[in-house]
Amino acid sequence: MSKYRINTNCVQAGYTPKNGEPRVVPIIQSTTFKYDTSEDMGKLFDLEASGYFYTRLQNPTNDHVAAKIAALEGGTAAMLTSSGQAASFYSIFNICSCGDHVVSSTTIYGGTYNLFAVTMKRMGIEFTFVAPDADDETLDAAFRPNTKAVFGETIANPALAVLDIERFAAAAHRHGVPLIVDNTFATPINCRPFEWGADIVIHSTTKYMDGHASGVGGVIVDSGKFDWMAHAERYPGLTTPDESYHGITYVEKFGQEGAYITKATAQLMRDFGSIQSPQNAFLLNLGLETLHVRVPRHCENGMAVAEYLQNHEKVAWVNYPSLKDNQYYALAQKYLPNGSCGVVSFGVKGGRKAAEAFMKELKLAAIVTHVADARTCVLHPASATHRQMNDQELEAAGVSPDLIRFSVGIEDKRDIIADLEQALSKIG
Ligand SMILES: *Cc1c(COP(=O)(O)O)cnc(C)c1O
């Protein structure tokens, strides 16, 4: 555990150079690592010794950055992945296989929904989707004997629903399974789900963590708190010997704190290979060094934009969890007291057509698929990220057909609002 506060950890955690070593995390741009004897290398392949041998499994640059993120979230171990999608997939597949079942909040990122409802379903893993505000009875009824995990997003992209993490964690634990939380939009600056009972946290680091839209990436962090052994029959992958590593048992060998991430690295990275490139990990680390400075500015600007839109006659509705009349305001106050995020969603009067006309007039805010970086950007999810969903599924995911996702950057808020004003003035 780091002795420093989170703002210091953003800048310094994960890498402490020794005498004469580079001050900045070096990019170890090498696929492979050299050993003196075959025995030395054999020990690595048996997980008998720790060390690097091939970057598909582990790389020192990545490990420094993963260690920083583990410190920021208050976890025991972390692993970088090539994308947020890979992180979502690994986080579940690490403890599930064909025939298993997962309970997920309905308000999740469109790409995650597709991964769960279509692709992982084809792999024989079934998901039951439950509204984030479902009562405990409904939540409990979603569990089955083969349920292995619960999944949700701290602040859903793009529905901006705030997850009642404590309540979802309690439900997961009542049924002896871990809660996995996608903390992409909140970032550990605004919320650390482990402090509320979550067991695993994932991120699309592509968003605020990188912050500059320069590298796609993801991360999985383990709290080290879930007692796999207490539910050993449910998690044989962690609690019984792995024949592909000469019979080691992850929980026995790496403890409750290390088993989950070691298994994800040793098995899933080995076999699927969705490793983040060291170059991207380096860029991610540069972003992390200013995360604690950028996130409050995103929130300040986001609040200003939300308040401006709320008072505009051409705006039909505004959704921003930090607004007092928002349905998630109470949860936002509890879990995100310092601010929620820079993303504001709203609809203009005139619906879908008016949304498209309005977006065309924006000059500072660019239409891009991306969200949550330093530059203000905008998207119409129903015709982009969520276009595979029908109207019913859109509604369940909290995405109305007229929803405009406005991702407020860290520019001067007066310029962002002026851009909104001129674009709104041009629509009927
Ligand atoms: C973007 C996003 C993802 C997917 O991440 P990629 O890095 O694009 O693969 C997952 N969850 C949330 C909340 C996201 O915003």
Side-chain angles (χ1 to χ4, degrees):
M1 275 289 176
S2 167
K3 62 180 184 289
Y4 296 115
R5 293 173 177 81
I6 193 163
N7 293 351
T8 304
N9 285 333
C10 279
V11 186
Q12 299 239 4
Y15 175 66
T16 310
K18 297 192 191 75
N19 196 31
E21 288 184 349
R23 181 68 193 96
V24 175
V25 174
I27 307 174
I28 306 298
Q29 196 67 52
S30 180
T31 60
T32 195
F33 300 82
K34 180 240 170 203
Y35 288 89
D36 289 339
T37 69
S38 300
E39 285 91 337
D40 288 346
M41 184 157 279
K43 284 186 190 141
L44 299 177
F45 276 94
D46 287 348
L47 300 181
E48 282 302 324
S50 66
Y52 297 97
F53 55 104
Y54 193 53
T55 286
R56 168 152 43 79
L57 284 93
Q58 270 186 300
N59 174 282
T61 308
N62 293 24
D63 283 356
H64 289 308
V65 181
K68 173 178 281 188
I69 297 172
L72 297 181
E73 287 287 5
T76 54
M79 177 179 85
L80 297 190
T81 56
S82 57
S83 67
Q85 286 298 102
S88 301
F89 173 60
Y90 283 21
S91 73
I92 288 177
F93 201 65
N94 202 32
I95 48 174
C96 281
S97 44
C98 183
D100 287 340
H101 172 257
V102 177
V103 175
S104 170
S105 166
T106 46
T107 47
I108 52 174
Y109 171 68
T112 312
Y113 178 82
N114 205 56
L115 170 69
F116 291 174
V118 181
T119 301
M120 290 185 79
K121 189 173 180 203
R122 276 195 351 239
M123 304 171 87
I125 298 171
E126 272 210 71
F127 289 76
T128 298
F129 295 93
V130 181
D133 19 26
D135 58 22
D136 282 350
E137 209 181 342
T138 312
L139 202 48
D140 281 334
F143 287 82
R144 301 178 189 170
N146 58 341
T147 302
K148 298 294 171 77
V150 176
F151 188 96
E153 277 177 35
T154 312
I155 307 173
N157 173 12
L160 304 179
V162 178
L163 188 73
D164 193 341
I165 301 172
E166 251 183 343
R167 211 162 60 78
F168 268 65
H173 298 160
R174 267 200 300 284
H175 296 272
V177 306
L179 172 65
I180 304 173
V181 171
D182 181 338
N183 197 34
T184 298
F185 267 25
T187 83
I189 302 301
N190 283 345
C191 178
R192 288 176 294 282
F194 294 156
E195 294 173 1
W196 301 102
D199 302 285
I200 311 286
V201 158
I202 65 148
H203 284 267
S204 165
T205 62
T206 317
K207 314 295 166 51
Y208 288 120
M209 281 193 167
D210 173 287
H212 303 79
S214 54
V216 172
V219 69
I220 308 175
V221 190
D222 183 11
S223 66
K225 287 190 207 149
F226 192 80
D227 188 352
W228 307 107
M229 270 311 194
H231 310 283
E233 74 299 335
R234 195 170 283 137
Y235 302 104
L238 287 160
T239 60
T240 62
D242 178 357
E243 294 316 326
S244 72
Y245 278 108
H246 306 300
I248 66 142
T249 298
Y250 290 99
V251 175
E252 267 171 24
K253 187 140 180 80
F254 302 100
Q256 193 177 302
E257 297 76 27
Y260 176 90
I261 292 293
T262 305
K263 176 178 181 288
T265 302
Q267 277 183 355
L268 301 186
M269 270 306 173
R270 178 195 62 190
D271 296 349
F272 292 112
S274 319
I275 193 89
Q276 189 165 131
S277 79
Q279 175 78 41
N280 278 8
F282 175 84
L283 292 170
L284 168 58
N285 188 50
L286 285 186
L288 290 169
E289 288 181 3
T290 59
L291 187 67
H292 59 302
V293 181
R294 289 183 286 108
V295 166
R297 177 62 72 89
H298 280 290
C299 295
E300 179 194 329
N301 287 359
M303 191 69 189
V305 162
E307 283 173 341
Y308 167 79
L309 289 170
Q310 199 172 35
N311 294 317
H312 200 288
E313 57 178 21
K314 289 186 186 171
V315 173
W317 56 270
V318 180
N319 182 14
Y320 187 65
S322 303
L323 284 177
K324 278 214 170 63
D325 62 353
N326 189 273
Q327 122 181 61
Y328 295 103
Y329 181 72
L331 288 174
Q333 287 298 102
K334 174 174 176 178
Y335 294 109
L336 306 150
N338 300 324
S340 47
C341 64
V343 182
V344 179
S345 64
F346 66 101
V348 288
K349 289 178 183 160
R352 191 182 187 130
K353 264 211 146 118
E356 282 164 5
F358 158 78
M359 285 170 60
K360 235 188 329 206
E361 298 296 339
L362 289 166
K363 295 193 166 63
L364 182 85
I367 299 177
V368 299
T369 306
H370 203 251
V371 63
D373 77 80
R375 283 160 291 257
T376 296
C377 58
V378 63
L379 182 80
H380 183 229
S383 57
T385 46
H386 287 60
R387 68 181 297 137
Q388 74 283 1
M389 289 189 180
N390 62 37
D391 281 2
Q392 226 174 352
E393 288 168 334
L394 279 174
E395 190 161 325
V399 184
S400 56
D402 66 339
L403 184 149
I404 296 167
R405 184 182 73 188
F406 197 76
S407 173
V408 183
I410 56 173
E411 303 94 340
D412 192 308
K413 62 188 169 196
R414 292 167 297 188
D415 292 328
I416 302 169
I417 289 171
D419 191 35
L420 287 166
E421 184 142 301
Q422 64 80 24
L424 283 167
S425 76
K426 291 193 183 116
I427 59 167

